[in-house]
Amino acid sequence: LVPNDHYLQFNHQTMQLLLKKAGFKIIEARTTGLNNELESLSRELIRCLKNDQKRFIYYCIKLIPAVVENFFNQGAALWYIAK
């Protein structure tokens, strides 16, 4: 945890309990990796492939763990849709 950025830490069980106690109905719950906006990431990868091969390699290496996390639904952040 980064103290200045993270004040509370939840897991799926505690987040669901919090949302239900507050009267929300959970529509979807999942975890996400660091690179969850694939459209903008793909544009950046194409740009780097053309103009900056070192940065392209860096992004590819950085992307691998995020893809694995998303595949196994074990990302770095909780993502909820509730109403």
Side-chain angles (χ1 to χ4, degrees):
L1 290 176
V2 180
N4 293 335
D5 295 336
H6 298 91
Y7 298 106
L8 302 169
Q9 182 175 3
F10 295 95
N11 61 28
H12 273 296
Q13 183 180 13
T14 57
M15 181 58 81
Q16 288 176 5
L17 182 63
L18 174 76
L19 289 170
K20 286 178 182 177
K21 280 188 172 187
F24 287 95
K25 178 183 174 189
I26 298 169
I27 297 168
E28 185 177 349
R30 64 182 167 115
T31 57
T32 61
L34 297 174
N35 299 303
N36 55 8
E37 295 186 22
L38 294 178
E39 184 179 335
S40 61
L41 179 62
S42 63
R43 282 195 307 264
E44 179 65 10
L45 284 172
I46 292 168
R47 186 194 70 75
C48 288
L49 182 60
K50 293 176 182 175
N51 303 319
D52 188 352
Q53 285 77 31
K54 287 181 182 178
R55 187 172 297 270
F56 175 78
I57 292 169
Y58 168 78
Y59 281 148
C60 287
I61 292 169
K62 184 179 173 187
L63 178 63
I64 291 169
V67 169
V68 171
E69 286 175 346
N70 284 329
F71 181 78
F72 289 106
N73 197 27
Q74 296 296 318
L78 294 174
W79 186 84
Y80 278 83
I81 296 177
K83 65 177 184 174

